[in-house]
Amino acid sequence: MNDAVVVGSGPNGLSAAIVLAQAGLKVVVFEANDSPGGGVRSAGLTLPGFTHDVCSAVYPFGIASPFWSTLPLQSHGLEWMQPDVMVAHPLDDGSAAITRRSLEETAAGLGRDASAYKKMIGAVVRDWPRISRAVLGPPAIPRHPFALARFGMHALRSMQGLAASRFREPRTQALLAGIAAHGMMPLDKALTAGIGLTLGALSHVGGWPVARGGGQRITDALIAHLRSLGGDVVTSTRVTNIEELPPAKVVMCDLSPRPLLRIAGHRLPASYRRALERYRYGNMGVFKVDWALSAPIPWTSPECRRAGTLHLGGSAKEIAASERATWDGRVPDRPFVVLSQPTIVDPSRAPAGKHTAWGYCHVPAGSTADMLDRVERQIERFAPGFRDVVLARAVTTPAELEARNANLVGGDIAAGVTDLGQFFTRPTWRNYTTPVDGLYLCSASTPPGVGVHGMCGYWAAKLALARLLRLRHA
Ligand SMILES: Cc1cc2nc3c(=O)[nH]c(=O)nc-3n(C[C@H](O)[C@H](O)[C@H](O)COP(=O)(O)OP(=O)(O)OC[C@H]3O[C@@H](n4cnc5c(N)ncnc54)[C@H](O)[C@@H]3O)c2cc1C
């Protein structure tokens, strides 16, 4: 008999499985897809010889994950590859605002904002060892209340408000707007500053790396480690009803509320079911494109050519307007685009001399709009001639994202909006536990939420172990 069953093999499901297996439990993970990893997989989506990241591609959270840094993932083949420029934000004058690994060098490129950047982002970088478990954890009494309060007073603000009050250069404001826009919320909303400050600081903590060979290598390393602890992963097994699962003391669901309700709704009390039904998925989804390229992207700015990740959207004002329009259900003509060009540091993903690119834009949740031309126009805006180097493209719509992974309702890659109203109560005030003994949630719909870090799984499994121990001693 298994001691624990995990439904779903995303980074949180695998992390939960590892924590349980480390404690000596016999663990099996069931995955609906024929390949494991959820949001952390790679595949040949375009032409022979090209490898693409199916979902996530860039790992500032992964390299900084307090849990993963304790695991021997490197000895299971994981290798982080760091670009010279972490984030580049091209502007219409042909220049770019950038972050590098070095805080000093980044600040030096921001003109009159150099000292403001060093002060504000530098404080988060310095405090990171003290605040990381709180930022990447459930609501709890903080171990370092002063450091957390220092972060919180800025983090709770909107990025638009923070940038306007603390920074003077339009290029700095644009850079921060692009980083904060990863939160998939309008930039005048509370907490968007926290997203920008955290991701901005991570440029200088562990960088924004890619994984050599593709994100799949992260999943492969997690699974290899799980197997070394006696656990297993079974793919092509969709759980449609928790009654089908083999008996186990712990059932850990790497699911967002809607798919959880589908497989376990009948076992849940009505009040908890209603709470899960009230959970809010984001107003924004994602329209994704992968490209096989004959050459590197011909960015006008030389710094963009050395960047792992690029944010395409122009000025802070323009990004704020397009994010607001998208949130309100309108399809923007010039959408905010996130782009990664992994082959500038990892040539193993394409035939010699060739390249890949990965990108997405925000769209209203569930939108059926074809954004390909608009996404490519945003790239052409800063890299004229881009279309001439495209050999092939693969498009993924919000509906396709959801069809491949039931957690991503409407193509919401965050599995639930991360605004103030839902930040501490993901997906309910119970966070990881449910009213059913032994049934837990560990997906990105629990704290700390979206991102490839495994911390939702870590905390959920720690809680399950503590409860098992209490039962044993009761
Ligand atoms: C297009 C895209 C781009 C992204 N880019 C980044 C990025 O660059 N960096 C970053 O840090 N994050 C990124 N993310 C977010 C990140 O991938 C997610 O936050 C993360 O994968 C969430 O992990 P998880 O374990 O909670 O769930 P998931 O990764 O969603 O995994 C859940 C798993 O459960 C399986 N499952 C669902 N229902 C069942 C069932 N009934 N039975 C069995 N299995 C089931 C699914 O098939 C899936 O494999 C991106 C996400 C997407 C979709």
Side-chain angles (χ1 to χ4, degrees):
M1 172 173 138
N2 294 297
D3 296 313
V5 171
V6 179
V7 180
S9 68
N12 287 312
L14 293 175
S15 297
I18 288 171
V19 172
L20 296 169
Q22 281 174 332
L25 270 62
K26 191 165 175 341
V27 187
V28 63
V29 181
F30 292 116
E31 167 55 50
N33 282 323
D34 54 8
S35 63
V40 192
R41 285 177 299 136
S42 313
L45 302 176
T46 55
L47 300 174
F50 290 84
T51 302
H52 303 274
D53 285 329
V54 178
C55 296
S56 63
V58 188
Y59 299 104
F61 286 119
I63 196 168
S65 165
F67 176 48
W68 289 359
S69 64
T70 66
L71 303 180
L73 300 181
Q74 273 75 3
S75 64
H76 290 298
L78 173 61
E79 195 180 339
W80 297 119
M81 309 294 290
Q82 299 278 8
D84 181 26
V85 172
M86 299 297 151
V87 177
H89 191 116
L91 297 160
D92 286 319
D93 65 3
S95 73
I98 61 166
T99 69
R100 289 175 183 274
R101 188 71 186 275
S102 154
L103 177 72
E104 301 287 328
E105 283 173 26
T106 302
L110 297 174
R112 290 177 301 165
D113 287 330
S115 67
Y117 185 90
K118 249 195 308 200
K119 197 165 158 214
M120 184 158 297
I121 304 285
V124 184
V125 175
R126 271 190 308 280
D127 282 338
W128 185 252
R130 285 178 290 282
I131 64 174
S132 61
R133 289 174 78 88
V135 173
L136 296 179
I141 297 166
R143 285 194 205 164
H144 300 281
F146 294 114
L148 195 62
R150 237 186 337 264
F151 172 71
M153 75 186 176
H154 298 306
L156 288 171
R157 297 185 65 183
S158 74
M159 183 41 96
Q160 219 166 306
L162 184 78
S165 64
R166 299 296 177 119
F167 298 98
R168 287 180 289 171
E169 299 279 1
R171 54 196 296 107
T172 316
Q173 292 173 347
L175 177 69
L176 293 173
I179 295 174
H182 279 265
M184 299 179 75
M185 288 190 291
L187 299 179
D188 55 2
K189 264 180 136 0
L191 264 189
T192 48
I195 294 159
L197 289 176
T198 304
L199 280 170
L202 289 182
S203 272
H204 316 299
V205 171
W208 283 41
V210 298
R212 186 196 285 277
Q216 185 73 48
R217 299 288 177 88
I218 302 173
T219 295
D220 293 349
L222 288 168
I223 293 178
H225 185 53
L226 174 64
R227 291 202 162 121
S228 76
L229 298 169
D232 200 9
V233 179
V234 181
T235 54
S236 307
T237 307
R238 178 174 299 282
V239 176
T240 54
N241 187 330
I242 53 167
E243 314 301 340
E244 301 161 359
L245 293 172
K249 294 176 205 146
V250 172
V251 174
M252 192 59 75
C253 294
D254 189 6
L255 301 178
S256 70
R258 222 174 274 181
L260 177 76
L261 281 165
R262 272 202 290 275
I263 70 163
H266 61 287
R267 290 274 295 278
L268 305 171
S271 58
Y272 183 68
R273 249 190 352 246
R274 278 196 302 274
L276 288 182
E277 280 158 6
R278 280 197 299 271
Y279 182 74
R280 286 174 296 120
Y281 289 92
N283 290 18
M284 296 192 199
V286 149
F287 179 99
K288 178 172 181 277
V289 189
D290 290 278
W291 293 272
L293 306 172
S294 61
I297 300 178
W299 302 106
T300 305
S301 149
E303 280 149 327
C304 289
R305 296 183 207 152
R306 290 183 279 122
T309 304
L310 295 103
H311 293 154
L312 313 178
S315 68
K317 197 168 158 204
E318 199 186 331
I319 293 171
S322 100
E323 292 296 273
R324 166 54 71 187
T326 310
W327 177 268
D328 290 343
R330 285 172 280 131
V331 176
D333 189 43
R334 285 178 143 192
F336 172 68
V337 174
V338 180
L339 187 140
S340 160
Q341 41 185 19
T343 39
I344 64 158
V345 286
D346 179 13
S348 76
R349 300 181 190 209
K354 308 272 194 298
H355 286 264
T356 65
W358 161 110
Y360 65 75
C361 74
H362 295 160
V363 290
S367 169
T368 54
D370 182 354
M371 301 298 285
L372 179 62
D373 180 55
R374 278 173 269 210
V375 168
E376 291 195 345
R377 273 196 274 127
Q378 284 288 55
I379 304 173
E380 283 274 346
R381 175 176 167 190
F382 304 107
F386 165 70
R387 282 183 166 131
D388 299 337
V389 301
V390 174
L391 296 171
R393 337 166 143 76
V395 162
T396 312
T397 63
E400 284 162 343
L401 280 174
E402 184 175 347
R404 289 176 201 167
N405 182 350
N407 284 352
L408 310 178
V409 174
D412 170 15
I413 66 171
V417 72
T418 316
D419 63 6
L420 211 45
Q422 203 160 256
F423 187 66
F424 299 106
T425 54
R426 281 176 92 76
T428 70
W429 64 268
R430 289 174 163 276
N431 296 147
Y432 313 102
T433 64
T434 72
V436 177
D437 275 348
L439 180 66
Y440 296 87
L441 277 169
C442 70
S443 71
S445 301
T446 64
V450 63
V452 174
H453 41 59
M455 294 306 291
C456 313
Y458 169 83
W459 293 110
K462 284 287 183 196
L463 191 72
L465 287 173
R467 290 188 154 204
L468 274 184
L469 207 65
R470 270 208 300 276
L471 279 180
R472 218 171 282 160
H473 294 302

